[in-house]
Amino acid sequence: MYHKTKQSLVVIFLDRQMNYLFTSESVSEGHPDKVSDQISDAILDNMLAQDPQAHVACETLCTTGQVVIAGEVSCKGWVDIQQIVRKTIAEIGYTKAEYKFEAESCGILTALHAQSQDINMGVSRAEADEQGAGDQGMMFGYATDETDNYMPLTLDLAHTLVYTLARIRKEGKQMLYLRPDSKSQVTIEYDEQNRPVRIDTIVLSTQHDEECTKDKGQGIKVTPEMIKQDVIDILLPRVATRDSRYGHLLHEFLEDKNAKLLVNPTGNFVIGGPHGDTGLTGRKIIVDTYGGRGAHGGGAFSGKDPSKVDRSAAYAARWIAKHLVAAGVAHEALVQVSYAIGVAEPVSLYVNTYGTAQVAMSDAEIAAKVSELFDLRPAAIIRDLKLTQPMYEETAKYGHVGRTNEVVTKTFFDADGNEFTREVELFTWEKLDRLNEVKAKFGL
């Protein structure tokens, strides 16, 4: 009797739909760690604008009224660090003394010095294509056909929430109490086929003024209830237009009695930014990549020139993974590439399609074809993705991947303080420029 009952329970258990929850978070450009990332990448861009072969490893710390810049550089040009730092902070929105961290008044300490010759010997080569990797390590790229930009929906929505909130703040027409620092977190329910079926929870925390001006100039206290209502009435409808396939999930979320919308759950978020929490370059690596999907090698990106494979090879791995999914090789793909310092050829290349491959090949066979299609030596990556451009400040907010490939005009200053402009192609690793080659290689 016990045996039969046990079997019956097993059958019932196997027949049940076993959905699961997955969560990703994002932070705004005003988050202290992202302030640090943007400063480091702005310094890198200004050096690359004058010397495309510059070697830069720039770290930033920001806290109450203070910014500290440290690192190693090799650059033929000269940049005004003070000007770059203050300009970057102002563009983010820290322009009021009451924030305790303000563009024009913060102190700036610079401790940059020359790059180690020991490292340089491992990187530089007489034959350009044999340029060695700037460090050892493993880098990952990931893509999924879950969204139009081949990113996990949880992270895509989390990014879009804080990005849109920042746009509302900078427009200055609604939610006038907003300050630069904010965070989001999105939890989505997936079915057994890994398809998103509903948004379970949205957490949004935004820094705000203590009071805001309403009708007839009267100031009223800003409360979590006020912010939550504005999130429902203003923010979420704008975000719902972001992805045509999943916009309906946000509308359904607002009607779902079991869904949770948590806005400023601590009740107050006036003190924020670098005054509320010290910021450091490279502390938001999961936000920068795939929100916990796939994998991460551990190396941060911002402040590093493309000779550092921490950055360039991670971009190349995303480029490859996106091609594999877009070409129809798999619904989902993770690509790992690893290096030894001073050695041009990768130590290993690994592909994982999580059982979603649409071709009659093992993942190892797919990886073998990838190695024939893509040259993953550092110099080749830099050449193919045009990574010596001053293209990095834009990557330091709202993710390094899943972004729009576009050409923009950027402004820089030379050693004499003269302004000059450069046309820069952003997010080249998001291009599907090898799609026909990939399809042909896999017979698609």
Side-chain angles (χ1 to χ4, degrees):
M1 178 66 74
Y2 175 79
H3 182 66
K4 290 181 181 179
T5 303
K6 184 177 180 182
Q7 284 181 323
S8 299
L9 287 173
V10 170
V11 170
I12 292 170
F13 178 77
L14 290 176
D15 284 344
R16 288 178 58 195
Q17 182 78 7
M18 296 299 292
N19 289 5
Y20 67 93
L21 300 177
F22 189 83
T23 302
S24 295
E25 71 158 347
S26 184
V27 299
S28 73
E29 62 204 71
H31 186 281
D33 292 331
K34 281 287 130 195
V35 173
S36 295
D37 285 344
Q38 289 166 87
I39 291 171
S40 292
D41 274 337
I43 292 169
L44 169 63
D45 278 355
N46 277 268
M47 291 185 173
L48 289 175
Q50 297 183 57
D51 178 9
Q53 303 307 316
H55 287 174
V56 181
C58 180
E59 313 293 344
T60 300
L61 175 150
C62 58
T63 187
T64 304
Q66 183 70 46
V67 176
V68 179
I69 310 295
E72 302 77 45
V73 301
S74 173
C75 179
K76 295 176 182 177
W78 179 88
V79 299
D80 187 335
I81 300 294
Q82 294 256 343
Q83 180 190 50
I84 295 166
V85 172
R86 297 191 192 282
K87 178 175 180 287
T88 304
I89 294 171
E91 289 175 349
I92 292 168
Y94 287 106
T95 56
K96 297 180 181 179
E98 63 201 81
Y99 297 161
K100 309 295 185 184
F101 181 82
E102 189 267 330
E104 293 304 315
S105 62
C106 67
I108 301 172
L109 174 64
T110 304
L112 294 172
H113 59 87
Q115 182 191 40
S116 163
Q117 288 302 308
D118 291 346
I119 294 176
N120 186 60
M121 283 191 299
V123 175
S124 299
R125 292 286 187 274
E127 180 62 41
D129 282 351
E130 295 307 313
Q131 170 183 322
D135 202 352
Q136 70 175 42
M138 66 284 191
M139 298 82 209
F140 290 92
Y142 174 81
T144 172
D145 60 8
E146 191 172 297
T147 57
D148 294 339
N149 60 359
Y150 300 94
M151 292 290 289
L153 181 59
T154 49
L155 182 62
D156 195 44
L157 281 176
H159 280 326
T160 307
L161 284 166
V162 286
Y163 172 81
T164 306
L165 197 66
R167 300 286 72 74
I168 292 170
R169 170 174 59 86
K170 292 183 177 183
E171 288 165 6
K173 298 177 181 179
Q174 298 172 300
M175 303 178 75
L176 301 181
Y177 48 80
L178 292 174
R179 291 185 176 184
D181 191 1
S182 65
K183 301 178 74 171
S184 65
Q185 186 171 283
V186 176
T187 301
I188 289 180
E189 180 181 334
Y190 288 81
D191 66 18
E192 289 182 317
Q193 287 73 48
N194 297 317
R195 295 174 301 201
V197 296
R198 61 182 286 272
I199 300 171
D200 182 81
T201 306
I202 291 177
V203 182
L204 186 72
S205 297
T206 181
Q207 187 187 15
H208 58 87
D209 294 337
E210 289 191 88
E211 293 186 346
C212 69
T213 302
K214 288 291 186 180
D215 296 338
K216 299 180 182 180
Q218 296 177 335
I220 62 171
K221 181 175 175 59
V222 178
T223 65
E225 293 75 23
M226 178 195 301
I227 301 172
K228 182 174 183 177
Q229 195 60 50
D230 284 345
V231 167
I232 293 170
D233 295 340
I234 299 169
L235 177 63
L236 294 186
R238 285 180 62 164
V239 173
T241 64
R242 176 67 169 81
D243 191 311
S244 59
R245 287 189 293 169
Y246 294 115
H248 68 281
L249 290 181
L250 273 170
H251 295 298
E252 292 169 4
F253 169 78
L254 292 172
E255 302 298 326
D256 186 346
K257 294 180 180 179
N258 294 316
K260 298 175 284 293
L261 175 60
L262 306 175
V263 177
N264 281 25
T266 62
N268 207 39
F269 190 3
V270 174
I271 299 171
H275 176 52
D277 188 11
T278 297
L280 290 171
T281 300
R283 282 207 302 199
K284 286 292 175 284
I285 57 178
I286 299 302
V287 171
D288 286 343
T289 52
Y290 307 101
R293 287 288 191 186
H296 195 289
F301 303 152
S302 289
K304 298 177 181 178
D305 74 84
S307 72
K308 281 77 171 173
V309 285
D310 277 348
R311 182 168 221 162
S312 54
Y315 293 162
R318 161 65 178 179
W319 185 44
I320 294 168
K322 186 175 180 179
H323 271 85
L324 292 176
V325 175
V329 176
H331 292 301
E332 184 180 13
L334 178 74
V335 175
Q336 183 205 59
V337 59
S338 66
Y339 294 88
I341 188 169
V343 179
E345 290 289 345
V347 172
S348 67
L349 174 67
Y350 164 80
V351 173
N352 186 351
T353 63
Y354 302 96
T356 69
Q358 301 299 293
V359 293
M361 299 179 189
S362 67
D363 286 350
E365 290 171 322
I366 292 172
K369 288 191 177 294
V370 165
S371 67
E372 296 170 6
L373 281 164
F374 295 91
D375 188 343
L376 290 172
R377 293 175 298 171
I381 293 172
I382 291 169
R383 178 188 65 241
D384 291 343
L385 297 181
K386 306 175 185 177
L387 297 183
T388 58
Q389 299 178 96
M391 62 197 299
Y392 297 105
E393 186 177 357
E394 288 79 3
T395 69
K397 51 191 175 185
Y398 311 116
H400 291 244
V401 289
R403 305 289 297 280
T404 301
N405 170 241
E406 60 182 336
V407 176
V408 300
T409 301
K410 299 179 67 170
T411 301
F412 304 97
F413 294 89
D414 64 19
D416 298 319
N418 299 312
E419 185 176 293
F420 67 97
T421 59
R422 286 274 306 274
E423 277 201 349
V424 179
E425 185 179 359
L426 303 177
F427 303 104
T428 52
W429 48 93
E430 294 298 323
K431 288 168 43 172
L432 293 171
D433 50 338
R434 301 277 186 89
L435 196 57
N436 290 336
E437 295 174 53
V438 173
K439 287 182 175 181
K441 192 73 171 178
F442 287 94
L444 297 168

